[in-house]
Amino acid sequence: GQKGAYIEALAGTKNKLAVEPIRKLLDDRDPIVVAQAADALGKLDARESIPRLRTLVEGQNGLQRWAAARSLSLMGDSGGVPFLRQMLVFDPAREVEGAIVTPGAADRLQIDAAEALSPLGPNPDWMNPARRLVGSPDPQVRIIAPRLIAPQDQPLAKDVLESLLQDPNGGIREWATEVLPGRVAGDFVTLRRLVRSTDAYSRSLAAARIVELTR
């Protein structure tokens, strides 16, 4: 039960010396540990692990397939693209880990797949679903979608996030407060307004963004 914490800590070092001990865990008997290791290898840019990660994507375990596909995309490899593209399409007959995918769960799967594909660059395959999902009934999906499309459609992303600043869920408001000034807002009118926010964290993020834009 301790392996996951050690994997995460090693991946956080960003040190190449962490690659080999993590790569050995791809042979662990616990499928969750294997998925955690696969995910960590992408964060460490362990390109020597690409062939093995490709085999995991072609396997039967859903968690491992997701983790391996995300890691391959992070490293610029397209080996996980076919699997992730399948996840972008809602199929009411699909099962994931033995459970039928409901429309609500499909939104989560689709935005996760779009996010996993985004490191490979702009592509209508994932950008169009992400644009559609800004209207998802799931507020967490509505947070991720504008963050993904912001580089290509900043006005839409900003409108969605500003609406979420009024969400009754405090966690969603906090998340939108973090994403809007730090990753989406690029105009000084919005940033100056956020600098005057009653939320200290929002003010600091907006101020840092203004400094970044005026360097």
Side-chain angles (χ1 to χ4, degrees):
Q2 297 284 332
K3 289 180 181 178
Y6 288 124
I7 292 170
E8 185 176 356
L10 282 168
T13 67
K14 303 297 183 184
N15 192 310
K16 286 296 184 182
L17 291 175
V19 170
E20 190 54 31
I22 290 178
R23 189 165 56 174
K24 289 179 180 178
L25 292 175
L26 294 178
D27 295 317
D28 197 272
R29 289 181 294 179
D30 186 339
I32 295 177
V33 170
V34 175
Q36 291 169 326
D39 197 58
L41 289 169
K43 296 173 182 176
L44 288 165
D45 197 30
R47 295 173 185 269
E48 62 270 37
S49 303
I50 285 176
R52 182 64 193 284
L53 292 172
R54 284 186 168 191
T55 65
L56 288 178
V57 173
E58 300 302 324
Q60 299 299 316
N61 184 280
L63 287 175
Q64 293 176 12
R65 298 183 78 189
W66 271 107
R70 282 194 302 265
S71 286
L72 288 170
S73 291
L74 277 176
M75 294 186 286
D77 186 88
S78 61
V81 169
F83 167 72
L84 294 170
R85 280 179 174 163
Q86 291 175 19
M87 297 301 108
L88 285 171
V89 180
F90 173 53
D91 179 358
R94 178 187 295 148
E95 290 190 13
V96 177
E97 297 299 302
I100 295 292
V101 177
T102 63
D107 284 0
R108 292 288 186 92
L109 284 174
Q110 289 171 326
I111 201 62
D112 286 348
E115 187 171 29
L117 286 165
S118 63
L120 294 174
N123 190 299
D125 284 351
W126 67 262
M127 288 168 55
N128 290 337
R131 281 194 176 93
R132 178 180 56 77
L133 288 168
V134 299
S136 170
D138 187 324
Q140 293 187 357
V141 173
R142 294 203 309 274
I143 283 283
I144 299 172
R147 174 167 57 79
L148 294 180
I149 65 171
Q152 288 78 39
D153 196 341
Q154 194 172 62
L156 175 59
K158 189 176 74 169
D159 286 348
V160 173
L161 287 168
E162 287 191 333
S163 70
L164 290 174
L165 292 175
Q166 312 303 318
D167 195 274
N169 185 316
I172 296 299
R173 292 197 305 272
E174 182 179 347
W175 203 358
T177 295
E178 178 177 349
V179 175
L180 179 58
R183 305 192 187 186
V184 174
D187 62 286
F188 290 108
V189 172
T190 301
L191 290 171
R192 288 191 183 105
R193 176 168 53 78
L194 290 169
V195 165
R196 296 191 294 271
S197 168
T198 57
D199 181 81
Y201 188 48
S202 180
R203 291 198 303 270
S204 65
L205 288 172
R209 181 69 168 149
I210 289 173
V211 171
E212 178 185 348
L213 292 173
T214 53
R215 280 178 180 170

